[in-house]
Amino acid sequence: MPPSRHADLESIKKYLDEKHQGDNHPVYKLALTSEALMANPRWNKGMGFTAEERETFDLVGKLPVKVNTLDEQCARAWDQYKTRKDNLARNTFLQSLKAQNWVLYYSLLGRNLKDVLPVVYTPTAEAISNYSHLFRRSEGLFLSFPNRERMEKDFISATQGRNIDLIVVSDSEAILGIGDQGVGGIGISTAKSVIYTLVGGVDPSMALPIVLDVGTNNKQLLDDPMYVGWQHERIRGQEYDDFVDKFVQLVRKHLPHCLIHFEDFGVTNARRILDRYRPQHACFNDDIQGTGAVTLAALMSAVGVTKSKLTDQRILVYGAGTAGLGIAIQLRDAMIQADNCPREEANSKIYLIDKEGLITKDFGQDGRIRQGQEEFARPDHEWEEEKKASLKSGQISLLDVVKKVKPTVLIGTSTHAGGFTEEIVKEMSSHVDRPIIFPLSNPTRLVEVDPSKANEWSKGKALLATGSPFPPAKMPNGKDYVIAECNNALIYPGIGYGAIITESKTVSDSMIIAGAQALAGLSPALTDPDAALLPDFQDAPTVNYEVAVAVAEHAIDEGFANVKWGKAEVREKLKQKIWRPVYGTYQFHADGEK
């Protein structure tokens, strides 16, 4: 029997591990034989082909005589992986493995999830910035501006005859930590697709990574004779909008139920593209909504520990770019939905600070307020004294705001290393019993405060979550405090899969909030106030299943779903559709899969 919504992780895992009849022994009819079969990563088993299959598919003599189990193949591949000395070499090894054998690749990753995450989920900067120099074979679809007139032809060629549930697309302008990488951003699209399969259960044959090659403003790439993308400055304005629109309309025309996942679009484009297409199609921006959703889940967990409500919080977001603004909007929307808080009142509980200080209404007079920030801009008259006393031309500093507002929540998305100083943490802690401090900037060298320092300066009172993995901090009683990692991969695959399974017309705010509530409900801190605010990443597959259930149920409730079954069947439908990296039994058929 499916577990209840409030079941613990172990109960959910047990349910998911219960084998459906035939699940672990699927039978496939294939038309491929010999070298063509071994060259196809979807069907290749390598040393895993049985003796009977080797005879049937003309593989005898083309492989050594021994037959290996998948366990044996994983052990060999893991030994090979460990000989690689750095993340770039490991990334290259895994890419090669994926190009040979999908089942082995995903089985290896699933068995070593936490170890391989930094190599797969966030490909090394070297791997992406050196994409053109490391290029061996293409993966995914490259839609280039010079070829815009034939975009539909190229799109159909890549999708015809395939059941595509998911497209992950990037224009590569704002790749985390390394910025504009032009066509190399295909590495981000493929990595995100991998995570959808690894922890979300999406069949890899039904996912398509895409890069929109609209040029690059990276001078190093523009001057590099080895660069494989379009060597031209980025197009802007109407030309850019028309190109993106042509792509989206092709998806709507040919794949009407396919989820579009936008990734690493620039700050001037990310939100407006999302806002433009959300009413038309199921789409999702991980940098905006994924970051906001996982932060909301961590905050809901922290609020549960303090036995308060979201609307009781005074929230300070340090860093008002794409991620920071996305978090602010997500938290505001959750207050409206979960606590029935009026929109204006919810806005008033959130303070945004960017590089020019606290965002106030007068920022709008000279165009310093970007779309979406205006609702959070503070009235000027509230801050006249601080502006007069400011040493930086009227800028209101983070410390000024902490002293006056006495925030209960401090969130960092600024990439200002050390921005949460000892004085700031101590000032905040002096007014709050359990200060909630989330230094989320990536990579670790840019984090606002090392969580062990925040723990020390708050005398062990702080409830902490970070954007990168950190070791546990020591509590005053000597106990380890596990630092929760606000890793988007704990939630975005589940949000996406919930929309996919229901063929939802959109990904609504309430669907995302439902996913965040499901994630928060699995928090270890709810049973032990000194435990981590979020589940461990090793549990990501189970966690994302539960997120997907909540999202799918809300899609049905809101009337966005395009399926004929109801909420009572959601858990079983999701379980049945989860792709698992297991070898099936192959039978030859002239009209079979190719």
Side-chain angles (χ1 to χ4, degrees):
M1 178 175 292
S4 69
R5 166 61 60 82
H6 302 292
D8 59 84
L9 277 171
E10 288 306 314
S11 299
I12 300 166
K13 283 180 190 174
K14 184 178 179 182
Y15 168 68
L16 291 176
D17 287 341
E18 292 171 355
K19 296 179 177 63
H20 284 280
Q21 185 176 3
D23 257 5
N24 281 357
H25 300 284
V27 176
Y28 300 106
K29 298 183 184 299
L30 304 183
L32 295 168
T33 62
S34 194
E35 285 89 351
L37 177 56
M38 291 193 294
N40 188 309
R42 181 181 180 187
W43 304 116
N44 182 32
K45 296 184 181 182
M47 293 296 294
F49 284 108
T50 66
E52 183 180 353
E53 288 169 339
R54 295 180 188 205
E55 188 69 40
T56 301
F57 292 93
D58 188 25
L59 299 174
V60 176
K62 297 178 176 66
L63 290 165
V65 70
K66 186 171 183 179
V67 175
N68 283 145
T69 65
L70 183 55
D71 288 342
E72 290 170 336
Q73 288 181 294
C74 283
R76 179 189 294 119
W78 188 241
D79 285 342
Q80 294 169 348
Y81 174 89
K82 289 187 293 184
T83 65
R84 275 53 179 184
K85 301 301 183 186
D86 55 50
N87 276 356
L88 179 58
R90 296 181 189 110
N91 181 279
T92 302
F93 170 78
L94 290 175
Q95 289 298 318
S96 176
L97 183 61
K98 182 169 65 163
Q100 298 171 53
N101 183 331
W102 284 358
V103 169
L104 177 55
Y105 172 76
Y106 284 106
S107 184
L108 181 71
L109 298 189
R111 296 168 191 227
N112 304 281
L113 199 52
K114 290 182 73 173
D115 290 316
V116 300
L117 179 66
V119 180
V120 176
Y121 178 56
T122 307
T124 61
E126 261 190 294
I128 293 175
S129 59
N130 288 310
Y131 176 78
S132 295
H133 290 261
L134 297 171
F135 183 86
R136 293 180 181 176
R137 58 179 293 175
S138 63
E139 181 178 10
L141 177 60
F142 299 79
L143 298 177
S144 299
F145 187 75
N147 297 329
R148 59 194 178 279
E149 298 304 324
R150 54 170 292 149
M151 186 191 291
E152 183 164 22
K153 180 179 179 181
D154 296 338
F155 185 85
I156 291 173
S157 176
T159 59
Q160 199 165 34
R162 296 176 61 185
N163 295 319
I164 304 294
D165 283 337
L166 168 71
I167 285 173
V168 181
V169 60
S170 179
D171 77 349
S172 321
E173 186 177 7
I175 295 176
L176 182 65
I178 53 176
D180 184 347
Q181 293 301 319
V183 77
I186 190 68
I188 285 293
S189 296
T190 56
K192 291 284 185 173
S193 297
V194 165
I195 299 301
Y196 267 106
T197 296
L198 189 60
V199 302
V202 173
D203 185 331
S205 69
M206 298 181 178
L208 178 63
I210 295 178
V211 65
L212 301 180
D213 183 7
V214 292
T216 177
N217 290 341
N218 184 328
K219 190 173 187 306
Q220 186 175 348
L221 298 180
L222 290 172
D223 295 339
D224 185 353
M226 299 295 289
Y227 181 60
V228 297
W230 183 42
Q231 268 178 309
H232 190 282
E233 290 186 355
R234 281 185 173 271
I235 59 168
R236 300 290 188 188
Q238 195 62 48
E239 278 190 319
Y240 175 87
D241 288 351
D242 289 347
F243 186 76
V244 173
D245 186 64
K246 188 170 186 176
F247 157 70
V248 173
Q249 299 312 325
L250 284 176
V251 177
R252 295 185 66 210
K253 176 181 176 180
H254 296 286
L255 302 170
H257 303 303
C258 173
L259 175 72
I260 302 176
H261 174 122
F262 293 113
E263 186 69 29
D264 286 338
F265 282 72
V267 67
T268 58
N269 294 319
R271 176 156 290 282
R272 68 184 190 85
I273 288 174
L274 178 66
D275 289 345
R276 178 177 180 180
Y277 294 110
R278 280 185 84 188
Q280 303 177 25
H281 192 87
C283 55
F284 179 79
N285 185 304
D286 186 41
D287 306 296
I288 297 172
Q289 297 164 296
T291 301
V294 74
T295 305
L296 170 61
L299 182 54
M300 285 177 165
S301 301
V303 165
V305 172
T306 61
K307 301 192 184 308
S308 56
K309 298 189 298 182
L310 280 176
T311 48
D312 294 332
Q313 310 311 310
R314 298 178 298 280
I315 301 168
L316 203 168
V317 180
Y318 184 52
T322 299
L325 181 59
I327 289 169
I329 291 171
Q330 196 75 73
L331 300 184
R332 185 270 312 280
D333 291 347
M335 290 182 199
I336 295 171
Q337 181 171 313
D339 293 344
N340 296 314
C341 183
R343 186 183 183 95
E344 188 174 347
E345 182 183 339
N347 286 333
S348 73
K349 297 177 183 297
I350 299 172
Y351 298 74
L352 293 183
I353 296 182
D354 70 3
K355 59 186 177 183
E356 297 185 59
L358 178 70
I359 295 178
T360 53
K361 296 291 186 184
D362 64 354
F363 275 42
Q365 296 172 9
D366 52 10
R368 289 181 290 163
I369 291 183
R370 290 202 319 276
Q371 180 185 359
Q373 294 177 338
E374 61 279 348
E375 289 192 81
F376 302 102
R378 311 305 299 189
D380 299 299
H381 67 84
E382 291 181 1
W383 297 90
E384 288 178 359
E385 289 185 18
E386 287 77 13
K387 286 187 177 184
K388 290 176 182 177
S390 172
L391 300 176
K392 287 190 176 181
S393 307
Q395 289 186 14
I396 302 165
S397 71
L398 175 60
L399 182 59
D400 291 333
V401 182
V402 170
K403 286 181 175 179
K404 182 165 183 171
V405 173
K406 301 176 177 55
T408 59
V409 181
L410 181 58
I411 298 171
T413 57
S414 66
T415 66
H416 176 195
F420 295 171
T421 64
E422 181 175 358
E423 183 179 9
I424 285 170
V425 173
K426 285 185 173 179
E427 175 68 25
M428 180 183 182
S429 302
S430 69
H431 301 288
V432 182
D433 286 338
R434 297 299 303 268
I436 300 168
I437 303 176
F438 294 172
L440 301 180
S441 287
N442 281 306
T444 53
R445 61 184 172 81
L446 300 178
V447 72
E448 287 79 10
V449 64
D450 186 302
S452 65
K453 291 294 185 184
N455 180 68
E456 176 189 336
W457 296 335
S458 68
K459 298 181 180 178
K461 297 195 303 178
L463 295 166
L464 298 161
T466 56
S468 299
F470 278 89
K474 281 290 181 188
M475 301 287 283
N477 60 8
K479 181 181 176 181
D480 279 347
Y481 177 68
V482 178
I483 308 299
E485 183 186 353
C486 275
N487 190 323
N488 294 19
L490 284 172
I491 195 164
Y492 80 76
I495 291 174
Y497 211 28
I500 289 169
I501 194 76
T502 56
E503 298 182 3
S504 183
K505 300 171 187 174
T506 188
V507 181
S508 69
D509 292 335
S510 60
M511 288 164 66
I512 295 171
I513 292 169
Q517 289 172 323
L519 174 55
L522 298 171
S523 167
L526 297 182
T527 53
D528 177 359
D530 291 329
L533 294 175
L534 293 173
D536 188 90
F537 190 76
Q538 193 65 42
D539 294 320
T542 309
V543 168
N544 274 288
Y545 169 79
E546 201 64 12
V547 169
V549 169
V551 170
E553 288 179 347
H554 268 259
I556 293 170
D557 277 344
E558 293 185 276
F560 295 133
N562 193 42
V563 291
K564 296 180 179 179
W565 40 268
K567 285 172 62 176
E569 298 171 83
V570 165
R571 288 187 176 276
E572 198 64 22
K573 291 289 185 183
L574 275 165
K575 181 180 176 182
Q576 289 172 0
K577 194 172 171 65
I578 290 172
W579 184 84
R580 295 171 175 83
V582 294
Y583 289 137
T585 298
Y586 294 170
Q587 298 175 354
F588 179 78
H589 194 286
D591 296 322
E593 298 270 7
K594 294 182 179 180

